């Protein structure tokens, strides 16, 4: 062992001890007569000291130390004359008797401190240096702590952690698979799992009763800031349960994590039907840290000769507290904001509820003060508030108002990262119609069970069928989702029909699951949490990248190891593959 | 919830309670007046009963139940008249008031019991039924328990579990990689990790100090019974440690697992140099549950005109206790055994040490009774023992004697599965010469540090250099292995030279690691345990397949989901790939 103590360990009652420490040079302060060296490791920082009484050889070695050198420091613990109350080791220092330089360091390309001067790209290329920064390492320590707490909770609840295969079978439903050519099976491919869905269902058929796994999953999608080609799920499944049992169990997990990891008590999670979430929040993942609900003004505003409203399917409004004093310029800027292609509104109607009780709106030509007063009553506006209206196609406008609501929430400081408001969104539609391909898609996935009372609608009006599906949403972020599953061959087969599978395709891709349902499948249900997102939320971060040790960039590249890369022709030959890039021969 | 209790839960003090159970029908016994139904779930079996007082509807439903049907059973707990002491629930039964059939089952293709009638292939195809058998499920429960205990121990020791990427970069050193074509990076591939080796070393450079991960790894090798294309490692790395620290820590883990999981106290692990293991046991993974050591008789047996010995580089022997009474037929059979291509000996020389003190050997023509007595003394034989000698090339004969030793150990019942003898094999050679390719290969891997005292030999006699590498061996099985790592760019670069890498290849494949060593790398060392093997050893099994939920067969196929499989031309197109099978167009 190169050390007797870590750099975070020495205290006042260690004074007098001969110790060995090992770590990185954080800083050297040469004050002439004395030189102070801050030695850093994962556990903390300890001050080393050399003075005019020190041996010449030590003083020379100390003079040559640079940032990020790795040394072994041997010396005697003594009380500091000027203590540092901000450092757990701040009462003591180590008077050096010997220094062994274990590794020298070039000057790092950015500073190793919380407020580093390194840009994103540089820090990714030298990720091993970025990970030396305490903030970054703490995120990964948090991740490890949360994974362990999750396991402790689920083990207590009789869940069995079971590893499912990574080399599985490609199925075109859902996102794009990553595939893996098989050398031993010519011309054939494995796929990497987008989730262990079918395997966990088979474990239920196998009688495992309660399964979980903290598991890597893979999706070959075009990446956004919060997506990675490989990501981690807390993946779970339970038998002989209904929706309420699952929600209770995983509400329990979530509250346990908040309590254990952040010492926050969270109250019971409300349940909100999907339809309510859409109509009140314009989103299936409502941020309930603040109100500012969407109100439907359609009936009230039509028929006043304002063509924009009269020709709209839906007119909705939100009330922004205390914004009546927004300037012309601010309102113009907000109008531009809602017109951006991401939001796609045609324009913005505003109503200022002045402090004197009068109204000023962008539609004064069409509506009287009394009209506007009615609107104000509906949206719950008070003097000093600003009402914002959007109009158009209902689904689109709800979503646009939802986005506007979040934006105004940000501007008004209503989205505090230290407040956590979880809820369950329930009663999702089973199917989504896609106008382009003229077919239904499973909103959750093809294994989700329809609500019993809606099963008859499967034939008459499939789009109306609600699913036993649920999402855990915290602060506007979808943290997890799941469903009660189909466990009956006929119903599963009917679902594949509805989704446009031929009998042959269904059999070919999911025949093993439907076979399994013929040998006594229990009712079962499950859920998966996006572990990266959950950790980044606990860490107060916006991107999941910061809670992943070695993330990839938006092009799916690891710029540190320079991957992906070409492989040799011998490798391609063994795999019976040829690379054919379009436009090249 | 479909149940108030599990099938393993009810006891005598539950008598009188109204309960709901849910599970699978294990057995129905129709005794005319009464019908008994064994209901099974993961937690146990509970007897249900219907008699002539039961409602007609219940009796009818009960009559229709078949093996592996899934039911919900509602009834009243009562004391059994004839108790079953072998069953934790054997004091009670549930008198049925209602039965709900949740799923029917076809007759399963094999019986769901410990001594099933299903063959290997059938059980793999219906793995979800095989997993219903208690023995199989218990193996997977053991696996989960061991994974959790491992995490508890390593967390206590300040290790941070950190996920490393699965989509990495292909490197030709070592076994064959599985590769993953990248859609977003045309013509380029990721590789699946054979181990997280370089990433865990980078975590040490990053100051993580202690890392672990229970992690899937991948090798595209031709499979044997105990190999799988995907397997699981307990992967660890530590900074500021030397070999002894690593061995102490992971001896601690191993003993903790034996104590926690099997309640077995294991004494301190001996350390055995590689050279001793080879010379005494003919193996770098000696089974030390029994002695029967190899003895070198070369000097003693040469020069007696026995041409076979005289022309051999090495003559070695083992002594098999109490085997002097082996018949001619048994000895012939043993001779055939050592001549098999797997062993490859030219023949077998035996010496029987008769009970009367005389010797009878297959080389009596060349050696006197006195000669044989000397041999007997050297190998420690007593009257009643049988000495077996092999001769030839030293390395080959040591290995052959090692195999013979294990075979005789099996025959003599010396390899008890309930006895565990761990040891550390240390001081491995750094490099292995390969005659075919005329180059050195790293015995462990290219990141293993040579012993300091042998570093000078790197230039003069690389084959002699010993490594700071170590293996954990239990009962003749290599459970884990690791090494102290190189943490210096120049030495790492020299290793790549020795292994035949050009500067360009080394830079291209491992440049990121060598760069990292330039920014202050700490001394570090690590180890990885083969988790599948460790679990199968704890379970007393020979194959790792039995401790994997969904294993692949020897052709790398999952016969249940029928994978790998072909993918669509659209998928191939998107990946810029074409399948070219030799002999086909």
């Amino acid at each position: 062992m190169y050390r007797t103590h870590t750099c975070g360990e020495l205290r006042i009652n260690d004074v007098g001890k001969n110790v060995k420490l090992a770590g990185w040079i954080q800083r050297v302060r040469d004050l002439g007569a004395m030189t102070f060296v801050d030695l850093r490791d994962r556990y903390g920082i300890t001050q080393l000291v050399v003075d005019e009484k020190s041996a010449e050889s030590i003083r020379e070695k100390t003079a040559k130390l640079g940032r990020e050198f790795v040394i072994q420091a041997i010396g005697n613990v003594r009380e500091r004359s000027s203590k540092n109350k901000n450092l757990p080791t701040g009462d003591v220092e180590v008077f050096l008797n010997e220094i062994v330089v274990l590794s020298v360091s070039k000057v790092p390309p950015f500073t190793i401190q919380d407020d580093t001067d390194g840009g994103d790209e540089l820090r990714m290329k030298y990720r091993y240096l970025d990970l030396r920064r305490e903030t970054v390492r703490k995120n990964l320590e948090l991740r490890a702590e949360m994974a362990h707490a999750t396991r402790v909770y689920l083990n207590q609840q009789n869940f069995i952690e079971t590893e499912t295969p990574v080399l599985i079978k490609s199925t075109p439903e859902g996102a794009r698979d990553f595939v893996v050519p098989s050398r031993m099976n010519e011309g054939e491919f494995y796929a990497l799992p987008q989730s262990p869905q079918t395997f966990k269902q088979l474990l239920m058929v196998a009688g495992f009763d309660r399964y979980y796994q903290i598991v890597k999953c893979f999706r070959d999608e075009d990446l956004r800031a919060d997506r990675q080609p490989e990501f981690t799920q807390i993946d779970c499944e339970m038998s002989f349960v209904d929706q309420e049992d699952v929600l209770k169990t995983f509400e329990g997990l979530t509250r346990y994590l908040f309590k254990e990891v952040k010492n926050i008590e969270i109250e019971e999670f409300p349940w909100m039907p999907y339809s309510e979430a859409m109509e009140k929040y314009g989103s299936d993942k409502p941020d309930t840290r603040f109100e500012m609900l969407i109100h439907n003004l359609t009936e009230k505003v039509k028929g006043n000769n304002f063509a924009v409203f009269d020709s709209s399917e839906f007119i909705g409004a939100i009330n922004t507290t205390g914004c009546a004093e927004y300037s012309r310029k601010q309102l113009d800027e907000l109008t531009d904001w809602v017109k951006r292609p991401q939001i796609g509104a045609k324009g913005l109607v505003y109503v200022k509820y002045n402090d004197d009780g009068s109204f000023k709106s962008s539609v004064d030509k069409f509506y009287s003060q009394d009209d506007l007063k009615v609107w104000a009553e509906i949206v719950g506006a008070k003097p000093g508030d600003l009402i914002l209206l959007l109009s158009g196609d209902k689904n689109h406008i709800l979503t646009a108002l939802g986005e506007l609501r979040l934006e105004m929430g940000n501007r008004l400081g209503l989205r505090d990262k230290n407040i956590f408001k979880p809820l369950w969104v329930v009663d999702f539609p089973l199917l989504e119609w896609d106008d382009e391909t003229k077919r239904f898609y499973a909103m959750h996935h093809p294994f989700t069970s329809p609500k019993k009372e809606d099963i008859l609608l499967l034939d008459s009006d499939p789009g109306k069928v609600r699913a036993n599906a649920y999402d855990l949403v915290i602060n506007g972020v979808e943290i997890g989702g799941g469903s009660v599953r189909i466990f009956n061959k006929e119903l599963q087969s009917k679902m594949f029909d509805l989704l446009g599978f031929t009998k042959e395709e269904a059999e070919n891709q999911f025949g093993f699951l439907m076979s399994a349902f013929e040998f006594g499948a229990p009712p079962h249900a499950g859920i998966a949490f996006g572990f990266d997102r959950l950790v980044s939320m606990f860490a107060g971060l916006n991107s999941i990248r910061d809670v992943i040790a070695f993330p990839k960039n938006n092009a799916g590249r690891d710029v540190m190891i320079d991957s992906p890369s070409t492989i040799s022709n011998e490798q391609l030959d063994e795999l019976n593959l040829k690379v054919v890039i379009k436009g090249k021969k």
Side-chain angles (χ1 to χ4, degrees), chain A residues 427-430 449-451 453-454 457 462 464-468:
Chain A
D427 300 349
F428 279 85
L430 183 68
S449 146
K451 284 199 181 285
E453 58 269 35
D454 292 358
L457 291 172
K464 279 259 163 25
V465 176
R466 288 166 308 156
N468 281 317

Side-chain angles (χ1 to χ4, degrees), chain A residues 513-559:
Chain A
L513 185 66
M514 289 191 286
S515 279
F517 287 170
E518 293 187 298
F519 291 101
H524 59 287
I527 198 166
F529 280 15
F531 186 58
D532 308 288
R533 284 199 198 164
L534 184 64
V535 178
S536 73
M537 169 156 294
F538 270 55
L541 298 166
N542 294 319
S543 165
I544 62 170
R545 235 192 256 182
D546 297 321
V547 298
I548 295 173
F550 299 101
K552 294 182 175 55
N553 73 9
N554 283 347
R557 294 199 71 83
D558 181 328
V559 296

Side-chain angles (χ1 to χ4, degrees), chain A residues 561-578:
Chain A
I561 64 170
D562 192 24
S563 161
S565 59
T566 54
I567 59 174
S568 70
N569 287 330
E570 289 74 33
Q571 277 176 293
L572 287 169
D573 264 5
E574 277 198 324
L575 297 170
N576 305 290
L577 286 181
K578 215 176 132 180

